[in-house]
């Protein structure tokens, strides 16, 4: 921003939370003069939400956000006033609106009047002459086909694209102070953005700008508009009104008078199509389709035309007469450390470990779509035969905030977030782009037989669920064979298996759990640093304490690899030195890159101080391989999990002689042997990658098949 705005003059579009631009303005006030105009999609001034309303003549329907000024459908019981982008950072939105720079706002007032219509989707389907038109149709169709109810055509609006159209139309007409344009009616309004709730000047622990500070941040007025209660979550008790709408207004763009009022040009309504005979009822729809299919400045290629000899190919090993080792299932939450652990498991000789399946818990460090990275890693290693199953998106005793007034993502919110998502998966995605691309992809395709509201066009391509993979695996087990499970995340999926199986010990040999913390004294703390009130829990237990309670209440043979032992083998310098000294296989190269990046981030920025957490996750994979050089020792302890819905206690492990389950707890390992075993295994040329990286794959796709030789 500094580079571009310094060159000025410039116009800025904001179609998300305003954090980045607000920080820029507050840090570089001398550059404000170069910003000519700001166009914003966000807020709702006089809007009335048309969604969540009951159909006419309905007898048993309870309206949800119907008529509310805002559109945060997960939050209408506590804050019916806010719009998503402004609620993402109300104080930042306030700084932008009050910056003194001319602002044109396209709020819900206008976007609520341009829902995606069935006629528009049908017209778009018939008008796909550019790659970008094809992409947008497929994306929009998938959104429609997977919409959670039957109200897509009254609930999905042209938010950001409509804002871009209004802005472009205004900018085409110079000397246009009233903002006349082709697509929206405009009006000046005096508005502000609410950042805290009355009464002002209180200190209740909710407001980070004031609470506990002698001097408020940014020298804010101790009794000003920013000094009230700040909404702390979707179900903040302060905001809840019994049998009524919520009272919090954080992020609300309200009309005001007096010193807080800022004159802003506001889009109030989408204009109708000038052609009354057209099936498209909005002027913008017509222009959108024309621009999208314009041959000028069109996209040059899609994936398959960029690589003319692209071919979907799978790699599966031939084990022949080799005697395979113990069947293992890896239950992971897709943190960066989990992927390094997966590499290690794939490198252990198949005569020792036969990795049968991977189950994924998206209740941890990454979202469900990160499954693509697993597929790509397996493809790189020639193991497209290993199935991957998706576990529940919500922890046990939690529910989707869309459908439940008690859903709050209570535990998942402890995962460190960046401005737009999970902080640590962002790091992983960038590095993982070097992986070869697998033909297997995460997909939103789904079927009514598996809980979807409707069948999508290719529901046969749907992402398999974890319990499906488990049931299929159990059916195919050799007689007398049992499965060993390694868990590297929340225990959600394992708990579901326990509740599913009548006798889990008949098919599960052992369970190795990486996680949990057994505190030896008051100073021996856990690692859930984002929840200061919970000092003694470990992340994997905290992220689903009720699942952990189910697992530790079962009859399974459990080996616990607790936080205290993980921390003893979590030296970045030592593990990286071991990789540097040995042969550079593709998998060792990637492990070194990702661990080096985590180490570097830890050194550079305080937000990444927790990176050593991911090093400890590798220990379970090394231990399960059973190498005696580790000199591992164990103790048996009676363990109970705290799971009562109390944030300050949940996930903590207690020694309980009367009610605790006897668990084998890893007590010590030889750190040097551990670092050596890890580096040697990843550097071994046996069971190494069949495709080095995406670049090698691209070379295959750019030449006719008779000019290339596949990697052996």
């Amino acid at each position: 921003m500094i580079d571009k705005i310094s060159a000025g003059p410039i116009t800025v579009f904001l179609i998300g939370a305003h954090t980045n631009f607000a920080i820029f303005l507050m840090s570089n006030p001398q550059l404000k003069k170069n910003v000519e105009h700001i166009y914003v999609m966000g807020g709702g001034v006089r809007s009335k939400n048309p969604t969540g309303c009951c159909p006419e003549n309905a007898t048993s329907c309870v309206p949800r956000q119907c008529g509310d000024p805002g559109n945060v459908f997960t939050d209408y019981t506590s804050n019916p006033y806010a719009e998503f982008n402004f609620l993402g950072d109300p104080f930042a939105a306030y700084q932008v609106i009050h910056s003194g720079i001319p602002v044109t706002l396209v709020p819900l007032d206008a976007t609520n009047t341009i829902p995606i219509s069935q006629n528009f989707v049908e017209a778009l389907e018939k008008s796909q002459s550019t790659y970008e038109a094809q992409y947008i149709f497929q994306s929009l169709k998938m959104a429609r086909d997977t919409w959670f109810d039957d109200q897509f055509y009254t609930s999905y609006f042209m938010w950001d694209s409509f804002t871009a159209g209004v802005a472009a139309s205004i900018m085409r007409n110079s000397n246009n102070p009233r903002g006349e344009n082709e697509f929206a009616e405009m009006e000046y309004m005096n508005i502000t953005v609410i950042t805290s709730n009355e009464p002002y000047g209180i200190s209740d622990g909710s407001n980070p700008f004031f609470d506990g500070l002698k001097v408020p941040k940014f020298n804010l007025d101790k009794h000003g508009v920013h000094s009230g209660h700040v909404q702390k979550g979707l179900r903040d008790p302060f905001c809840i009104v019994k049998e009524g709408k919520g009272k919090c207004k954080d992020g609300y763009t309200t009309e005001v008078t007096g010193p807080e009022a800022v004159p802003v040009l506001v889009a109030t309504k989408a204009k109708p199509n000038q052609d009354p005979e057209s099936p498209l009822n909005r002027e913008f729809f017509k222009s959108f389709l024309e621009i999208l299919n314009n041959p000028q400045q069109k996209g040059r290629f899609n994936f398959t035309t960029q690589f003319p000899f692209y071919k979907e190919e799978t790699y599966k090993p031939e084990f022949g007469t080799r005697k395979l080792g113990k069947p293992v299932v890896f239950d992971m939450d897709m943190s960066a450390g989990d992927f390094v652990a997966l590499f290690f498991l794939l490198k252990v000789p198949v005569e020792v470990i036969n990795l049968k399946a991977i189950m994924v818990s998206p209740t941890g460090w990454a979202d469900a779509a990160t499954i693509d990275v697993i597929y790509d890693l397996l493809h790189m290693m020639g193991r497209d035969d290993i199935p991957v199953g998706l576990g529940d998106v919500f922890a046990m005793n939690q529910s989707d905030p869309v459908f439940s007034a008690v859903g709050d993502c209570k535990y998942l919110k402890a995962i460190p977030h960046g401005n737009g998502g999970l902080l640590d998966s962002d790091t992983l995605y960038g590095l993982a782009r070097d992986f070869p691309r697998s033909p297997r992809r995460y997909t939103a395709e789904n079927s009514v037989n598996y809980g979807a509201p409707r069948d999508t066009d290719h529901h046969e391509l749907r992402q398999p669920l974890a319990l499906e993979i488990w049931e299929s695996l159990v059916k195919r087990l050799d007689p007398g064979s049992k499965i060993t499970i390694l868990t590297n995340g929340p225990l959600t999926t394992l708990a579901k298996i326990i509740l599913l199986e009548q006798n889990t010990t008949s098919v599960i040999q052992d369970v190795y759990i990486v996680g949990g913390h057994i505190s030896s004294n008051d100073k021996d703390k856990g690692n859930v640093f984002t929840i200061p009130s919970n000092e003694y829990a470990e992340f994997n237990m905290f992220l689903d304490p009720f699942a952990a309670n189910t697992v530790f209440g079962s009859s399974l043979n459990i080996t616990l690899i607790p936080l205290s032992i993980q921390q003893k083998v979590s030296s970045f310098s030592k593990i990286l030195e071991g990789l540097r000294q040995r042969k550079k296989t593709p998998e060792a190269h990637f492990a070194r890159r990702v661990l080096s990046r985590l180490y570097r981030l830890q050194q550079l920025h305080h937000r990444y101080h927790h990176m050593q957490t991911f090093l400890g996750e590798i220990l379970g994979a090394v231990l399960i391989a059973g190498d005696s050089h580790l000199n591992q020792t164990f103790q048996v302890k009676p363990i109970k999990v705290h799971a009562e819905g109390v944030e300050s206690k949940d996930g903590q492990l207690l020694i309980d002689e009367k009610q605790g389950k006897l668990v084998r707890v890893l007590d010590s390992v030889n750190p040097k042997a551990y670092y050596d075993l890890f580096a040697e295994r990843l550097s071994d040329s046996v069971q190494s990658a069949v495709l080095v990286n995406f670049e090698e794959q691209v070379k295959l796709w750019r030449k006719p098949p008779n000019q290339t030789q596949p990697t052996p």
Side-chain angles (χ1 to χ4, degrees):
M1 289 187 192
I2 292 171
D3 288 346
K4 295 298 180 184
I5 295 175
S6 293
I10 201 164
T11 297
V12 174
F13 285 20
L14 298 176
I15 56 173
H18 291 193
T19 308
N20 293 330
F21 193 61
I23 291 173
F24 165 80
L25 292 175
M26 297 172 74
S27 305
N28 303 275
Q30 76 282 2
L31 294 177
K32 282 186 182 181
K33 64 182 185 297
N34 287 0
V35 181
E36 290 188 324
H37 206 97
I38 303 171
Y39 290 92
V40 175
M41 190 280 120
V45 187
R46 302 171 186 168
S47 56
K48 293 184 178 181
N49 199 321
T51 65
C53 299
C54 293
E56 292 184 11
N57 303 320
T59 57
S60 60
C61 173
V62 177
R64 296 186 294 173
Q65 64 269 39
C66 181
D68 294 348
N71 72 339
V72 185
F73 56 86
T74 55
D75 194 28
Y76 65 92
T77 57
S78 55
N79 186 336
Y81 299 92
E83 178 273 337
F84 266 106
N85 290 344
F86 278 33
L87 184 62
D89 195 336
F91 186 75
Y94 180 95
Q95 295 301 316
V96 171
I97 296 296
H98 286 259
S99 65
I101 302 169
V103 173
T104 293
L105 183 70
V106 182
L108 298 178
D109 307 51
T111 60
N112 283 346
T113 67
I114 187 164
I116 297 287
S117 67
Q118 185 170 351
N119 285 343
F120 171 77
V121 174
E122 290 173 355
L124 177 58
E125 185 174 13
K126 297 173 184 176
S127 183
Q128 301 182 60
S129 60
T130 62
Y131 292 128
E132 50 270 31
Q134 295 167 19
Y135 174 82
I136 288 177
F137 173 72
Q138 291 297 330
S139 299
L140 193 59
K141 184 177 183 301
M142 186 55 68
R144 182 197 65 186
D145 292 349
T146 58
W147 200 247
F148 58 87
D149 61 19
D150 294 325
Q151 305 301 316
F152 175 81
Y153 291 120
T154 59
S155 304
Y156 200 92
F157 304 92
M158 297 285 273
W159 293 286
D160 301 332
S161 52
F162 183 60
T163 300
V166 170
S169 181
I170 292 174
M171 293 168 68
R172 278 198 296 266
N173 302 316
S174 58
N175 301 318
N176 182 12
R178 304 298 301 179
E180 286 85 0
N181 66 90
E182 305 162 76
F183 308 126
E185 297 177 6
M186 310 297 294
E187 179 182 341
Y188 272 100
M189 300 182 188
N190 293 318
I191 67 170
T192 189
V193 180
I194 293 178
T195 63
S196 71
N197 300 278
E198 297 186 65
Y200 298 135
I202 65 170
S203 180
D204 63 1
S206 70
N207 195 324
F209 293 149
F210 294 88
D211 294 330
L213 301 175
K214 291 183 179 180
V215 179
K217 289 185 178 180
F218 312 120
N219 291 313
L220 297 175
D221 183 349
K222 290 184 178 181
H223 299 280
V225 294
H226 307 299
S227 65
H229 179 90
V230 172
Q231 186 174 354
K232 297 188 68 175
L234 299 181
R235 305 293 175 257
D236 185 342
F238 177 93
C239 307
I240 304 296
V241 176
K242 189 175 181 181
E243 298 182 1
K245 296 281 187 178
K247 67 177 184 179
C248 280
K249 296 184 178 182
D250 307 59
Y252 180 31
T253 41
T254 182
E255 289 186 271
V256 292
T257 58
E260 283 294 308
V262 178
V264 170
L265 186 61
V266 178
T268 59
K269 185 179 181 181
K271 290 182 177 180
N273 195 330
Q274 294 182 12
D275 178 5
E277 303 300 320
S278 172
L280 303 176
N281 63 349
R282 295 290 182 263
E283 186 69 19
F284 179 68
F285 285 151
K286 180 179 67 175
S287 177
F288 184 84
L289 294 177
E290 290 173 356
I291 293 293
L292 195 60
N293 289 281
N294 191 332
Q296 296 179 339
Q297 297 177 218
K298 67 176 183 178
R300 293 186 297 147
F301 43 71
N302 62 15
F303 193 82
T304 53
T305 56
Q306 182 183 14
F307 306 115
F309 301 102
Y310 169 75
K311 178 183 178 183
E312 288 192 354
E313 193 167 5
T314 57
Y315 298 94
K316 299 180 180 181
E318 292 290 341
F319 294 131
T321 59
R322 297 162 72 181
K323 185 177 181 181
L324 302 180
K326 60 183 177 184
V328 170
V329 169
F330 186 31
D331 184 2
M332 60 189 287
D333 65 2
M334 301 183 289
S335 73
D338 285 356
F339 286 94
V340 179
L342 177 56
F343 267 130
F344 187 91
L345 291 173
L346 294 170
K347 293 291 292 184
V348 176
V350 294
E351 292 85 356
V352 177
I353 286 180
N354 178 16
L355 188 59
K356 302 288 287 186
I358 296 169
M359 298 187 298
V360 170
S361 294
T363 51
W365 294 88
D367 59 31
T370 314
I371 285 180
D372 274 356
V373 182
I374 300 177
Y375 285 142
D376 290 346
L377 189 156
L378 293 173
H379 191 60
M380 169 184 175
M381 298 299 291
R383 294 303 307 268
D384 290 322
D385 59 306
I386 297 176
V388 181
L390 175 65
D392 283 4
V393 175
F394 293 94
M396 291 178 66
N397 205 42
Q398 291 291 286
S399 54
D400 191 335
V402 175
F403 303 108
S404 171
V406 298
D408 195 16
C409 304
K410 181 175 182 177
Y411 302 108
L412 180 60
K413 68 184 180 184
I415 297 294
H417 280 56
N419 188 36
L422 302 173
L423 185 71
D424 301 299
S425 60
D426 293 346
T427 306
L428 178 69
Y429 290 147
L431 292 166
R433 287 184 67 85
D434 283 347
F435 280 154
R437 179 186 169 94
S438 170
R440 293 193 290 175
R441 312 307 297 167
Y442 173 78
T443 172
E445 299 283 359
N446 214 335
S447 164
V448 293
N449 293 331
Y450 294 92
R454 64 194 65 80
D455 284 345
T456 57
D457 284 355
H458 299 285
H459 54 85
E460 71 280 0
L461 299 177
R462 50 175 286 278
Q463 168 62 45
L465 301 178
L467 291 184
E468 290 178 71
I469 297 297
W470 174 260
E471 291 175 326
S472 173
L473 176 61
V474 169
K475 288 178 182 178
R476 291 183 287 107
L477 270 182
D478 294 333
S481 183
K482 291 186 178 184
I483 300 166
T484 296
I485 298 177
L486 170 63
T487 71
N488 263 35
L491 301 181
T492 312
T493 301
L494 181 54
K496 298 283 185 180
I497 290 173
I498 291 169
L499 296 174
L500 175 73
E501 297 279 355
Q502 292 183 347
N503 184 11
T504 51
T505 56
S506 66
V507 293
I508 299 176
Q509 182 72 42
D510 294 293
V511 174
Y512 287 77
I513 296 175
V514 177
H517 177 58
I518 304 171
S519 180
S520 58
N521 55 63
D522 291 345
K523 295 182 180 179
D524 187 9
K525 304 293 180 69
N527 68 350
V528 188
F529 60 90
T530 50
I531 309 293
S533 63
N534 193 325
E535 297 183 290
Y536 301 103
E538 180 272 339
F539 262 112
N540 288 343
M541 299 298 110
F542 177 81
L543 289 170
D544 196 340
F546 289 89
N549 188 51
T550 299
V551 171
F552 281 87
S554 72
S555 59
L556 294 174
N557 297 319
I558 296 175
T559 296
L560 186 70
I561 304 166
L563 179 64
S564 57
I565 297 301
Q566 295 176 45
Q567 291 172 336
K568 292 179 180 178
V569 290
S570 296
S571 168
F572 274 111
S573 58
K574 291 180 180 177
I575 202 165
L576 288 170
E577 181 61 27
L579 290 171
R580 273 192 292 266
Q581 292 176 353
R582 289 169 173 83
K583 183 179 177 181
K584 303 298 188 291
T585 61
E587 52 273 20
H589 177 69
F590 180 84
R592 182 179 167 186
R593 285 187 67 210
V594 71
L595 295 176
S596 296
R597 178 55 56 88
L598 297 180
Y599 189 27
R600 183 67 173 151
L601 287 170
Q602 184 187 58
Q603 294 172 316
L604 287 175
H605 202 285
H606 67 92
R607 292 293 304 278
Y608 294 89
H609 67 88
H610 60 286
M611 292 297 100
Q612 282 174 300
T613 298
F614 304 130
L615 278 186
E617 294 179 315
I618 305 168
L619 178 56
V622 179
L623 183 69
I624 202 174
D627 196 300
S628 60
H629 291 92
L630 284 175
N631 297 327
Q632 62 266 38
T633 63
F634 301 89
Q635 291 187 18
V636 176
K637 297 182 179 182
I639 292 178
K640 184 180 178 181
V641 182
H642 197 290
E644 296 180 1
V646 180
E647 189 176 75
S648 61
K649 297 284 187 181
D650 280 349
Q652 295 180 14
L653 300 188
L654 310 173
I655 301 298
D656 189 325
E657 297 290 346
K658 293 183 178 180
Q659 297 183 327
K661 174 184 174 60
L662 292 179
V663 172
R664 190 174 72 146
V665 180
L666 183 62
D667 188 54
S668 67
V669 293
N670 183 329
K672 185 179 185 307
Y674 166 77
Y675 294 128
D676 287 343
L677 282 168
F678 172 78
E680 288 170 4
R681 185 67 70 195
L682 257 68
S683 301
D684 193 340
S685 58
V686 177
Q687 291 180 206
S688 189
V690 300
L691 282 170
V692 173
N693 51 33
F694 184 67
E695 185 178 350
E696 181 189 36
Q697 203 173 29
V698 164
K699 291 178 181 177
L700 298 174
W701 293 338
R702 282 185 170 149
K703 295 180 181 179
N706 60 353
Q707 294 182 21
T708 61
Q709 291 293 326
T711 303

